[in-house]
Amino acid sequence: MANFSAAPVTLIVLTFILAGIVKGVTGMGLPTVSMGVLGAFMPPVAAASLLLLPSFVTNVWQLVTGPSIAGLISRLWLMMLGIVIGTIAGSRLLTSNNTKWTTVGLGTALALYALWSLLARPPFVPAHLDRWLAPIIGLVTGVITGGTGVFVVPAVPYLQALGLSRDSLIQSLGLSFTISTIALAIGLARGRAFQIDNVAASALAIVPSLFGMWLGTAIRRRIGIETFRRWFLCCLVLLGLELVIRPLV
């Protein structure tokens, strides 16, 4: 495991198990949890490289284990197309390394949205509005993903507002994050900024990530809808706060 000899392997394994549990319960959060822990004892580039394959594999698993891939693709393909176009175009912003205040703004907006949703009636987007809202949401999400590496705004609030079932929401997040990951990799490769170091270590991290995600999925299926919603929104608050704090420390 090159460049990781000084880091306890046990801590790395436990980090990915914890991150996988969070993702299994809420459908998101693996990169955030992992970067928050790993970034404390290794360079950010090394931590990001270690995250590459676990993030991709867990997103694909999240996508294929849901109730209906075909139905979601049929409903959300315009949003996914917007994500691809926006991410590839916006990736030039990320390669410029000038994303500090954009990330702070995104984190603030995400935390405020989640707090508002916890304290007020959540928004709802009727199905007949999907056709013109979806590509706009996708394009904006893509530009933000390309500029900051953050997949969640405004895709996550939008998907939550569609009134999907618990498992369909988790699957739709898997679809969105998988497409975003692939599009971001393409954009970074075009900008010659794609990190391919530590691929072996990244592959080894897949196993604890999948184990943690399996545990998190089992937990999610044992809790009620309202409990799940509160967990989901609380994780959005924590994610938003982490995005605010990360560039400032």
Side-chain angles (χ1 to χ4, degrees):
M1 190 177 292
N3 299 325
F4 292 94
S5 57
V9 174
T10 300
L11 181 57
I12 294 176
V13 170
L14 291 177
T15 296
F16 279 101
I17 291 175
L18 174 62
I21 290 173
V22 172
K23 186 171 180 63
V25 172
T26 67
M28 57 189 292
L30 186 143
T32 301
V33 173
S34 301
M35 283 295 290
V37 177
L38 297 177
F41 64 93
M42 67 179 64
V45 171
S49 298
L50 188 60
L51 289 171
L52 180 62
L53 290 178
S55 180
F56 177 76
V57 170
T58 53
N59 282 326
V60 171
W61 185 21
Q62 181 174 321
L63 171 61
V64 300
T65 55
S68 175
I69 296 177
L72 282 178
I73 293 175
S74 176
R75 183 173 184 179
L76 300 174
W77 72 270
L78 285 173
M79 178 181 170
M80 298 304 109
L81 179 61
I83 286 175
V84 171
I85 295 172
T87 301
I88 294 175
S91 60
R92 294 184 179 182
L93 298 174
L94 186 59
T95 57
S96 70
N97 294 318
N98 187 24
T99 61
K100 176 179 179 179
W101 296 111
T102 304
T103 303
V104 169
L106 283 172
T108 301
L110 188 61
L112 290 176
Y113 164 80
L115 286 171
W116 179 79
S117 296
L118 282 168
L119 300 174
R121 185 175 180 177
F124 177 73
V125 176
H128 69 273
L129 296 180
D130 280 2
R131 191 161 190 84
W132 67 271
L133 266 182
I136 296 173
I137 295 295
L139 190 63
V140 173
T141 299
V143 171
I144 292 172
T145 296
T148 67
V150 176
F151 303 163
V152 293
V153 179
V156 170
Y158 174 76
L159 292 172
Q160 187 194 19
L162 293 179
L164 300 170
S165 68
R166 218 173 11 181
D167 290 339
S168 291
L169 174 60
I170 294 296
Q171 187 178 34
S172 68
L173 291 173
L175 175 62
S176 178
F177 295 161
T178 298
I179 297 298
S180 295
T181 301
I182 295 171
L184 183 59
I186 293 172
L188 294 179
R190 289 184 62 195
R192 301 181 184 277
F194 191 66
Q195 298 290 335
I196 59 172
D197 295 337
N198 304 314
V199 172
S202 183
L204 291 175
I206 292 173
V207 175
S209 299
L210 289 177
F211 176 68
M213 192 173 173
W214 174 77
L215 288 176
T217 301
I219 293 170
R220 168 164 49 91
R221 290 175 177 169
R222 291 178 177 271
I223 61 179
I225 294 175
E226 283 304 311
T227 302
F228 167 75
R229 178 177 174 272
R230 286 194 296 271
W231 271 85
F232 182 80
L233 291 171
C234 286
C235 284
L236 285 188
V237 173
L238 294 176
L239 175 59
L241 293 176
E242 195 276 337
L243 291 174
V244 170
I245 294 170
R246 186 200 310 165
L248 302 178
V249 296

